[in-house]
Amino acid sequence: MTAKKQSIFDSEIVGRGAIESLRKLNPRWMVRNPVMFVTEIGAVITTVGLFSGNGSESFAFRLQVTIWLWFTVLFANFAEAVAEGRGKAQADTLRRTRTQTVANRLGPDGSFEKIAADRLRKEDLVLVSAGEIIPADGEIVEGAATVDESAITGESAPVIREAGGDRSAVTGGTRVLSDSIRVRVTSNPGESFLDHMISLVEGANRQKTPNEIALTILLSSLTIIFLVAIMTFKLFGLHLGATFSITVLVALLVCLIPTTIGGLLSAIGIAGIDRLVRKNVLAMSGRAVEAAGDVDVLLLDKTGTITLGDRQATEFLPAEGVRVEELADAAQLASLADETPEGRSIVALAKQYGLRGRRIAEMEQARFIPFSAHTRMSGMDVGTRQIRKGAADAVMEFVGRAFPSEVKASVTMISQSGGTPLVVADKEHVLGAIHLKDIVKGGLKDRFERFRAMGIQTVMITGDNRLTAAAIAKEAGVDTFLAEARPEDKLALIRKEQAAGHLVAMTGDGANDAPALAQADVGVAMNTGTQAAKEAGNMVDLDSNPTKLIEIVEIGKQMLMTRGALTTFSVANDVAKYFAIIPAMLAGVFPAIAPLNLMRLGSPESAILSAVIFNAFIIIALIPLALRGVQFRPMSATDLLRRNLLVYGVGGLIAPFVGIKCIDLMVNVLHLV
């Protein structure tokens, strides 16, 4: 599901967010956010106070403070509503993929009956033919078909789904393009993949993550502390003969409690999931996204993740007395009937030596021998020539004698470098060797360096021998590797790392990966994989791109970095507002503290009103940052803390002084108090 890129303040989203921000004023909703709930109670108290006539302040002052307190609550609700609105826009797109699908369900007597798709239950068997919509999530139990999954993944290219392998899972709402399949339904109505996805992007059932809960408790504790402090402040004023109205005390409380991060906390979490969805990754919970941010060990399969997945021919190594063009010509002829990726790469490499592309149809007199796992060779017979290309031992058996010394040396060199040697021969004449190599994906080495700077260890897992694994690991730049790995070896490695206090992330697609996916702190299952793998993991990659794990970790870390940065900014804001407001309020009562009024605010009333206005506007100003996230930079925890303190800590201290002073000047110029 590739959603279109939306502007943060898209008119449709803003309109929906404005309405939702009003609906969220319901106390039953607000109580979920203790900081903003206290702010709402404060706004209610000042609203009631408008008509009580208490306090020495003017009605205009009390009215403006009340209005801005309500704006503070509304802006916080708006931030959350905008974050949810982006998800709801995606959910609307997903809902449009639903159709009134009719399913062909297999009855007890073996016949098929047509029923509505929403009547299907788990374990039902359905027949889906070419041109029909797959009615529900399921597992193919018979047949193979080409499936259009663009409604879910956004990818226009069809994919092959077949029974009995790691590509047997199908998703309701996708379309069969060819052939027919029998599918066993694996979900009840309301529990499908599409339902989960809609629920996720809407944020309807979003649960707070452990870190979010801990931060909420901290913010609630700070709110209680400041509430007690304000009550003490009232008693202190009465003792010294100074009176502070309820409006002033409420305004002071709202300015001092962490309303900035309190108002943006939910939006940060929702936006983190939204960024993940935009990468075509479905997280089963917010906890999984947060765990991705804490991961410090990445388990990466070699094939398809670190390497392209197919070995490619990179070099021709001719025997003594054989020209490289002659070897390339024979290798190309021997590979024409080899439809494997390796065979096609040999044909492509031969063209670099001036050879034209050839087709089997053009060579009517030739007999082609396709590659098979049994013979481990391919070739061509034409006239007196018998050209063969294949594994070294298979070709040696074909020629019936030992290889020349230079060919032996080439085979050994290729093997020791982590490659795969193929030998080309024409009857008993050995022409040379071909170097097949796993091609490491571009840019991975730099990304692994970035993770290393963050203290994240990368582990390559492969079934190859240690020699090959070591060569590829060195080229890719991973920290370590596990060679000749079996499913139980993966599971043991995960448990070992977790026992050492690490959080582990891995990808998988097969039923044999399910135990390891379930054990990992972040298990990313491929959408093309088995149902068992998808149920075992806590994330599903709709693109089935194993490299996506790296981006998932970056998104998780970005969410944690954003939350940490805005928390630092909010706390620094509160400290600055304390020193900006209190001296201005008390300077008239206690002239001795007048020098502490560094900002030289116009009056206690303008100081309070300016602070309240600033407190409301800063939430709106930070919504883009909360939704986009702070820029991801690979750095250690110490460097990250230092950066946060410098940028958001110092910035949070300075911003209130500048902002409140500017607003105070406007308030006094306009004679608002």
Side-chain angles (χ1 to χ4, degrees):
M1 182 229 27
T2 304
K4 67 177 182 178
K5 190 173 181 180
Q6 295 169 315
S7 169
I8 288 178
F9 292 116
D10 180 270
S11 59
E12 183 179 347
I13 293 175
V14 169
R16 181 184 292 180
I19 296 171
E20 285 297 315
S21 61
L22 292 171
R23 291 177 180 171
K24 291 177 181 291
L25 291 175
N26 188 328
R28 288 182 295 180
W29 181 272
M30 295 297 301
V31 77
R32 302 179 187 181
N33 188 338
V35 176
M36 300 316 301
F37 182 59
V38 169
T39 305
E40 184 179 39
I41 292 175
V44 171
I45 291 173
T46 58
T47 302
V48 174
L50 284 174
F51 308 99
S52 66
N54 296 326
S56 59
E57 299 84 9
S58 66
F59 177 82
F61 169 77
R62 287 181 284 136
L63 177 62
Q64 290 178 87
V65 169
T66 300
I67 290 173
W68 285 108
L69 289 179
W70 280 114
F71 271 134
T72 303
V73 179
L74 287 171
F75 288 166
N77 289 347
F78 181 74
E80 183 176 7
V82 168
E84 291 176 347
R86 287 157 64 86
K88 287 177 180 177
Q90 290 179 298
D92 291 341
T93 301
L94 287 171
R95 285 195 180 93
R96 286 195 289 269
T97 67
R98 295 183 184 272
T99 60
Q100 296 297 317
T101 305
V102 175
N104 297 310
R105 185 176 65 179
L106 180 65
D109 59 352
S111 62
F112 288 95
E113 60 174 334
K114 293 187 178 293
I115 64 169
D118 58 7
R119 291 177 55 195
L120 292 173
R121 296 294 184 271
K122 287 180 71 171
E123 303 304 322
D124 282 346
L125 287 175
V126 296
L127 175 69
V128 191
S129 302
E132 294 179 346
I133 300 291
I134 297 174
D137 294 356
E139 194 96 20
I140 300 176
V141 295
E142 183 181 322
T146 306
V147 180
D148 177 11
E149 296 184 343
S150 59
I152 303 297
T153 67
E155 179 58 52
S156 59
V159 295
I160 303 295
R161 295 286 178 265
E162 58 186 350
D166 290 342
R167 295 178 176 267
S168 59
V170 290
T171 305
T174 57
R175 183 184 295 275
V176 173
L177 299 179
S178 67
D179 304 293
S180 63
I181 51 177
R182 288 195 182 189
V183 177
R184 185 182 68 251
V185 177
T186 56
S187 64
N188 291 317
E191 301 173 357
S192 70
F193 184 86
L194 200 60
D195 291 318
H196 283 305
M197 196 166 184
I198 291 172
S199 176
L200 175 74
V201 300
E202 282 189 318
N205 299 319
R206 194 182 81 89
Q207 296 179 331
K208 289 186 177 181
T209 64
N211 282 350
E212 197 172 345
I213 292 171
L215 186 54
T216 300
I217 293 171
L218 174 62
L219 298 180
S220 301
S221 301
L222 290 174
T223 301
I224 293 171
I225 291 170
F226 279 115
L227 183 59
V228 173
I230 295 299
M231 293 171 63
T232 307
F233 196 79
K234 173 70 172 179
L235 297 174
F236 180 70
L238 291 173
H239 178 71
L240 297 175
T243 58
F244 302 107
S245 68
I246 292 296
T247 301
V248 169
L249 294 174
V250 169
L252 184 60
L253 173 65
V254 170
C255 288
L256 297 184
I257 63 176
T259 51
T260 304
I261 184 63
L264 297 172
L265 187 58
S266 295
I268 294 169
I270 295 169
I273 293 176
D274 179 68
R275 284 194 292 275
L276 200 64
V277 171
R278 289 173 185 277
K279 292 290 185 182
N280 273 1
V281 177
L282 174 65
M284 301 308 173
S285 71
R287 290 180 174 87
V289 186
E290 190 169 272
D294 288 324
V295 160
D296 53 4
V297 176
L298 289 183
L299 303 187
L300 304 164
D301 278 328
K302 183 205 72 173
T303 305
T305 304
I306 292 175
T307 64
L308 293 175
D310 300 319
R311 294 169 298 177
Q312 303 289 306
T314 59
E315 188 179 10
F316 293 123
L317 300 170
E320 187 176 353
V322 178
R323 294 182 299 109
V324 68
E325 291 83 5
E326 184 182 351
L327 173 59
D329 179 68
Q332 188 185 64
L333 290 172
S335 302
L336 290 177
D338 185 358
E339 292 299 322
T340 65
E342 293 86 351
R344 291 194 293 270
S345 75
I346 293 171
V347 173
L349 180 64
K351 293 179 182 178
Q352 298 180 15
Y353 293 88
L355 299 174
R356 66 179 180 85
R358 292 159 162 156
R359 293 184 297 175
I360 293 178
E362 297 175 350
M363 309 180 72
E364 298 178 355
Q365 303 301 317
R367 184 175 73 91
F368 290 92
I369 295 91
F371 176 84
S372 74
H374 177 68
T375 64
R376 295 184 297 153
M377 291 192 302
S378 65
M380 183 190 74
D381 295 341
V382 56
T384 59
R385 300 185 70 183
Q386 294 181 347
I387 305 171
R388 295 292 185 273
K389 170 231 63 189
D393 57 340
V395 174
M396 184 181 292
E397 184 178 345
F398 173 76
V399 298
R401 62 185 180 89
F403 293 152
S405 57
E406 63 273 12
V407 176
K408 283 184 181 178
S410 296
V411 170
T412 303
M413 183 271 295
I414 294 170
S415 299
Q416 290 178 344
S417 68
T420 301
L422 297 180
V423 178
V424 181
D426 188 348
K427 289 187 177 180
E428 72 279 358
H429 185 205
V430 179
L431 302 176
I434 306 171
H435 189 168
L436 290 184
K437 181 180 179 183
D438 273 332
I439 306 299
V440 175
K441 292 182 178 180
L444 279 187
K445 195 166 187 175
D446 291 338
R447 298 185 80 169
F448 291 153
E449 285 289 345
R450 294 174 68 186
F451 282 125
R452 198 171 293 112
M454 297 166 59
I456 297 176
Q457 181 186 17
T458 51
V459 182
M460 184 186 77
I461 300 175
T462 177
D464 291 340
N465 60 68
R466 289 189 61 82
L467 192 64
T468 301
I472 295 172
K474 183 179 179 181
E475 184 179 354
V478 297
D479 296 307
T480 185
F481 63 89
L482 177 66
E484 300 173 352
R486 298 166 299 174
E488 54 267 33
D489 297 328
K490 295 181 185 179
L491 188 60
L493 178 60
I494 292 172
R495 288 172 173 169
K496 178 185 174 183
E497 294 292 347
Q498 290 173 332
H502 299 293
L503 267 70
V504 181
M506 71 161 289
T507 61
D509 59 359
N512 61 345
D513 292 323
L517 287 170
Q519 182 67 37
D521 299 283
V522 178
V524 184
M526 302 295 102
N527 190 41
T528 57
T530 61
Q531 194 67 27
K534 291 183 338 185
E535 290 176 356
N538 48 23
M539 291 188 186
V540 177
D541 177 20
L542 302 182
D543 297 330
S544 299
N545 176 12
T547 313
K548 193 72 69 67
L549 179 61
I550 299 171
E551 296 180 61
I552 291 170
V553 171
E554 289 183 352
I555 289 171
K557 290 213 174 275
Q558 186 184 33
M559 187 179 78
L560 294 181
M561 289 168 63
T562 303
R563 189 181 295 156
L566 291 184
T567 300
T568 303
F569 185 89
S570 180
V571 173
N573 253 246
D574 294 337
V575 173
K577 284 183 286 188
Y578 180 87
F579 286 102
I581 301 170
I582 300 298
M585 285 180 57
L586 299 181
V589 182
F590 306 106
I593 69 169
L596 296 177
N597 185 13
L598 303 176
M599 298 171 63
R600 298 293 184 264
L601 301 177
S603 66
E605 289 82 5
S606 70
I608 293 169
L609 182 58
S610 301
V612 170
I613 295 173
F614 174 84
N615 198 59
F617 271 117
I618 198 66
I619 295 175
I620 286 291
L622 292 175
I623 288 177
L625 183 62
L627 298 185
R628 292 197 181 100
V630 300
Q631 186 178 355
F632 174 79
R633 288 190 175 94
M635 58 181 66
S636 65
T638 303
D639 292 337
L640 182 61
L641 178 61
R642 188 181 296 114
R643 178 176 177 270
N644 274 357
L645 289 175
L646 180 62
V647 177
Y648 297 98
V650 176
L653 286 172
I654 295 173
F657 283 97
V658 176
I660 292 173
K661 181 61 180 178
C662 292
I663 295 172
D664 179 75
L665 291 173
M666 293 178 63
V667 166
N668 284 280
V669 167
L670 298 173
H671 302 289
L672 298 178
V673 294

